[in-house]
Amino acid sequence: MTDPAASRPDSGSDHGHDDEAIAELGYKPELKRTLGNFHTFAAGISYISILTGTFQLFYFGIAHGGPAYWWSWPMVFLGQLMVALCFCELAARYPVAGSVYNWSKKLGGPHIGWLGGWMMLTATMVSLSAVALAYQVTLPQISSWFQFIGDGTGQSAAENAVVLGTILITFTTLVNAFGVKLMARINSAGVAIELIAAIVLILLLAAHVTRGPGVVFNTFGLGSGQNLGYFGAFLTAALASAYVMYGFDTASSLGEESKDPGRNAPRAILRALVASFLIGGLILLFALLSVPDLHSAKLSVDGLQYVVLSTLGSTVGQIVLWCVVIAITVCELAVHTAGIRLAFAMARDNNLPAASLLAKVSPRFQTPVLPAVVIGLVAIGILLLNVNQPQIFSVITSIAIIMIYLAYLAVTLPMLVQRLRGKWTPVRGRFSLGKFGIPVNILAVLWGFGMSLNLAWPRAAVYNATGPQHWYLRWGAFLFIGVVAIGGFTYYWFVQRKRTGVLAMHAAVAPDSGGPGNSNAPTP
């Protein structure tokens, strides 16, 4: 694999290499480059969203692994760092919309690319619904005014969660439809508030420490009687960290709208992941060190919300919870943005139904508007499942995370094959792993397989936590992913595959002909 820009002098901050990289994939530049360094960093870190993830899942980690579950945070970070380093090389070479889809297509061929993109797109829409539910976990704790339906228990909690979630998805749909600049401004402001709030929260919790750091070795005796002992309990609790630390590829998915993304996107990916690890790890650590009653039943029910309110008092606690609401909002915005770019990228290749409409860029807002609306409507539709079937909804959202890990594997595995065949060459003068490329890539693939299996393992605690036990819920990961993957790929193979190819309106212009230069353009 060679790079057309490798023999060209580095172009600094102009768009030469980045536009050539897009052209190599068969596309012409269409989206306006307006995003700077902080914007791309903010996109990645807001998708990970330290406050959203830690506040939403701390209870799960404590309930299943005790305080020692904290060690899953650095474990997941190291595994995801291997993936992120591979993505950095790709982001430097191909800073393109729908990054995971285009990378898997370039490395593994059109079939692998479509399957990776399909899994990622489906998972993104489900994730959009799942993140929206986080409003219900936080807003009613700030004020009962936000509990529009019932008293917040049982069925009324599920119904109210759908109302709050629908309001949030409607907001992110409108913001994304009005262009990337508005999205970036809101997202960057939200991330700035989230980072400041997270650091202040760490300092406040540190000021209320009541026990030593040895608490992170306390297992609460969990795992006794299991075949794997505490290791089995730890693997279950590790899902609380695995559910948080992904989405850093969003920094590259905005590559066609960023300034000098070949340089900035790899930095943004690493900065987002490292910042999330450091800040999130400290929040979790000081929460364990400062909570008044480490054995309180509320710790494994209300999680960090209980820690904040019981440690810092209601006034300061509510200020922190408002910051969590902001974090949830910008997280939702980033997830929606990433889904739009992915849908646009697949539609541009005529790989989705009504592709020409989905790939149309609004001349006024200079962004794909229809994908924003469609993804928002689908997410609201999925959200409605939570009204009467909250247990099934929790299964589906858990499975969505697995699908994202599998989509990442659709990139790292073909990339490893290309490396072993000597066909992968990083772009000169940009991010490169050098001699560490193969070992890092091997670790990324092993991590992807291992964590996907751990996430999918048919545990009652994850897939059938309440109510009567059903085999189809316990094996929901394998069943749901099988249906999505096999059903989706069958449709692609018999219908969409025959149409695939860059749409003429989006195809790169061949310099010798003055017209679209793409041999894979769809035939009439």
Side-chain angles (χ1 to χ4, degrees), residues 56 101 150 161 248 292 297-298 305 310 344 357 429 447 472 482 486 491:
Q56 198 170 10
Y101 160 71
F248 40 81
K298 289 186 176 181
Q305 285 86 342
S310 63
F344 168 75
L357 296 175
W447 166 256
Y472 54 84
I486 295 172
Y491 163 78

Side-chain angles (χ1 to χ4, degrees), residues 176-181 361-369:
N176 273 297
F178 279 106
V180 72
K181 286 189 74 174
V361 177
S362 167
R364 180 179 178 184
F365 301 116
Q366 296 183 308
T367 193
V369 174

Side-chain angles (χ1 to χ4, degrees), residues 49-68:
S49 192
I50 310 153
L51 293 183
T52 302
T54 54
F55 272 79
Q56 198 170 10
L57 293 160
F58 179 79
Y59 83 94
F60 183 90
I62 283 291
H64 296 285

Side-chain angles (χ1 to χ4, degrees), residues 451-475:
M451 186 49 71
S452 296
L453 183 61
N454 184 40
L455 288 164
W457 201 256
R459 300 178 177 91
V462 177
Y463 296 108
N464 210 157
T466 60
Q469 297 296 301
H470 299 289
W471 70 268
Y472 54 84
L473 290 177
R474 290 281 292 273
W475 291 90

Side-chain angles (χ1 to χ4, degrees), residues 413-442:
L413 184 56
M415 188 179 194
L416 178 59
V417 172
Q418 294 285 349
R419 286 189 196 276
L420 295 174
R421 290 177 177 174
K423 294 183 177 180
W424 171 254
T425 306
V427 63
R428 192 177 69 187
R430 302 292 170 92
F431 185 93
S432 172
L433 292 172
K435 63 182 179 181
F436 297 105
I438 290 179
V440 166
N441 206 156
I442 289 173

